Amino acid sequence: MTRGGTFASIDIGTTKICTVVGEMAAENDMRILGVGIAPSEGLSRGMVENIRDATEAIKTSIDKAEKSSGTRILSAHVGVAGQHIACLNNRGIIAIPDRTRPISPDDVTRVLDGARVVSIPTNREIIHVIPRYYVVDGQDHISDPVGMYGTRLDVETHIVTGVDSSIQNLTKCVENVGVQVDGLILEPLASAEAVLDQEEKEQGVVLVDIGGGTTDIALFLEGSVYHTAVLPVGGNHVTRDIVVGLRAPFQAAEEAKRKWGHAIPSMVDAREEITLEAFGSEGSKTELRRRLCEIVQARNEEILEMVTAEVKRAVHDDVISAGIVITGGGAKLQGIDLLAEQVTGWPARVGMPRNLHGLTDLLIDPAYATSVGLLQWAVNEAEASAWHRTPKASLDLSGVWRRLGNWARVLLPE
Ligand SMILES: Nc1ncnc2c1ncn2[C@@H]1O[C@H](COP(=O)(O)OP(=O)(O)OP(=O)(O)O)[C@@H](O)[C@H]1O
Ligand SMILES: [Mg+2]
């Protein structure tokens, strides 16, 4: 394993910022070298609202990751979310003039450039153009056309756009810390990378990342992404409902939710009482746990109904055979998978990051699906690029990693 394949990612969430440094140990095996987690500041619903506070919080997270990994982070892949995100699917088509030569990586770049030509408002920029599949001379669903022969190459793409000022604000916060942004990655796509099986993606699955300020959705069909969306509602809204419903301070409501919350109120004892800090002269109050759970259920039900409506707007729900995979901190609510099955009528499970080695204690948790997925996305991108630039005859894994040396994203101590 060369040291060239070392990467860093920053998940700038509404509640926490998580920087991860890692390297690819073997195929599908990620070794985590360091993690830095800091409480989030200056962010609301996945977007920057105070650059100075956000920069400070990002700095704290990066400093911690540098210390824990013994590296200096020069650049990183950064997650992007927020209500400003929009998506569309578009097709690109090119002719291959010389039918005696195989399709080259340059042809693929050309056809993807063709697919980028879409009319979007001037205040938006393209974040991703993801090839869903290629068509060579009418032959459908080709995952990689390089090396094949044909006269016409089509590509079906999923295009993600965001409002340029929101993207600039996010980028600025990271650059203020002296770290270059290698690429922005839509957060639900990163989470999907960390928690979904290929089989689920093939058979149709909805990835739902319930964070603090947003609920992110990525819908996969036939192995590739078909629809993405960011809903401006998350776990913080559940906590705020408890603040209002039980008249408790935010922190006490948050703790109560984590400790006693359940998405199915009928599954908790009808007489069980809980004591929590509350406003007013007494300073605390006793409530039925079921009351708390009813509040938690109502908002989670609403979130899941919004997810279902969003998915049904994009596709017929018959195609979601693998159902829904819930991740993000909100997936830690007891019974959330049962509630999701009730509300959506699809199979549901909670998604955890996997295939990790090294400093993983903190990361094997649904709240860190995005953080881990960002790193995996960065590695996959570099690997794909190295594959296309390497003469196939001489390609072996060490060759790929030698090329990945060019992609070194962190400085390791000698
Ligand atoms: N045990 C638990 N039960 C219920 N909710 C929980 C639990 N643990 C964490 N949460 C909730 O998860 C949310 C935070 O999730 P996460 O860390 O994924 O958010 P984030 O990435 O910071 O935010 P976002 O992705 O929306 O920008 C908070 O609202 C928190 O209350
Ligand atoms: Mg998040």
Side-chain angles (χ1 to χ4, degrees), residues 11 16 187 370:
D11 170 14
K16 50 102 183 48
E187 292 189 354
T370 309

Side-chain angles (χ1 to χ4, degrees), residues 72-104:
R72 167 95 177 80
I73 297 172
L74 303 177
S75 65
H77 280 72
V78 176
V80 59
Q83 208 185 356
H84 63 104
I85 297 296
C87 76
L88 68 135
N89 291 337
N90 193 36
R91 187 174 264 241
I93 305 169
I94 57 160
I96 312 284
D98 180 1
R99 61 167 61 211
T100 60
R101 69 160 175 84
I103 294 169
S104 67

Side-chain angles (χ1 to χ4, degrees), residues 361-383:
D361 316 16
L362 292 170
L363 296 180
I364 300 183
D365 176 324
Y368 296 103
T370 309
S371 321
V372 171
L374 285 171
L375 204 62
Q376 286 172 341
W377 184 286
V379 171
N380 292 349
E381 201 177 74
E383 239 174 358

Side-chain angles (χ1 to χ4, degrees), residues 47-61:
M47 289 186 288
V48 177
E49 57 163 24
N50 182 322
I51 293 219
R52 203 178 53 196
D53 290 354
T55 301
E56 276 306 310
I58 294 167
K59 184 171 183 331
T60 310
S61 160

Side-chain angles (χ1 to χ4, degrees), residues 221-234:
L221 293 182
E222 298 177 332
S224 56
V225 60
Y226 185 81
H227 183 71
T228 46
V230 178
L231 308 176
V233 52

Side-chain angles (χ1 to χ4, degrees), residues 189-340:
L189 293 176
S191 306
E193 202 66 44
V195 306
L196 292 185
D197 288 339
Q198 189 55 32
E199 177 64 9
E200 287 171 328
K201 291 188 195 172
E202 290 292 340
Q203 305 312 337
V205 71
V206 184
L207 181 283
V208 178
D209 183 322
I210 307 179
T214 63
T215 294
D216 308 343
I217 302 171
L219 163 60
F220 289 80
L221 293 182
E222 298 177 332
S224 56
V225 60
Y226 185 81
H227 183 71
T228 46
V230 178
L231 308 176
V233 52
N236 282 350
H237 298 80
V238 180
T239 307
R240 253 180 248 135
D241 291 347
I242 300 171
V243 170
V244 175
L246 302 187
R247 298 183 189 273
F250 189 90
Q251 204 44 47
E254 175 71 25
E255 278 165 23
K257 177 180 80 173
R258 290 181 186 218
K259 198 164 166 194
W260 295 298
H262 200 298
I264 312 280
S266 60
M267 289 180 80
V268 307
D269 185 342
R271 285 154 304 174
E272 186 181 345
E273 291 186 330
I274 56 171
T275 304
L276 72 161
E277 193 188 330
F279 291 116
S281 58
E282 294 275 312
S284 75
K285 73 191 303 189
T286 302
E287 274 287 349
L288 281 177
R289 180 178 172 197
R290 216 177 236 202
R291 170 92 189 96
L292 170 87
C293 296
E294 280 163 3
I295 298 171
V296 168
Q297 181 198 30
R299 181 64 85 159
N300 275 286
E301 207 170 73
E302 189 197 5
I303 293 175
L304 290 163
E305 275 164 3
M306 288 166 77
V307 169
T308 316
E310 182 68 40
V311 171
K312 285 186 176 166
R313 255 200 301 278
V315 291
H316 196 283
D317 64 348
D318 274 359
V319 296
I320 315 294
S321 306
I324 175 168
V325 176
I326 309 164
T327 193
K332 294 201 277 182
L333 176 70
Q334 287 180 59
I336 187 74
D337 45 351
L338 300 176
L339 182 68

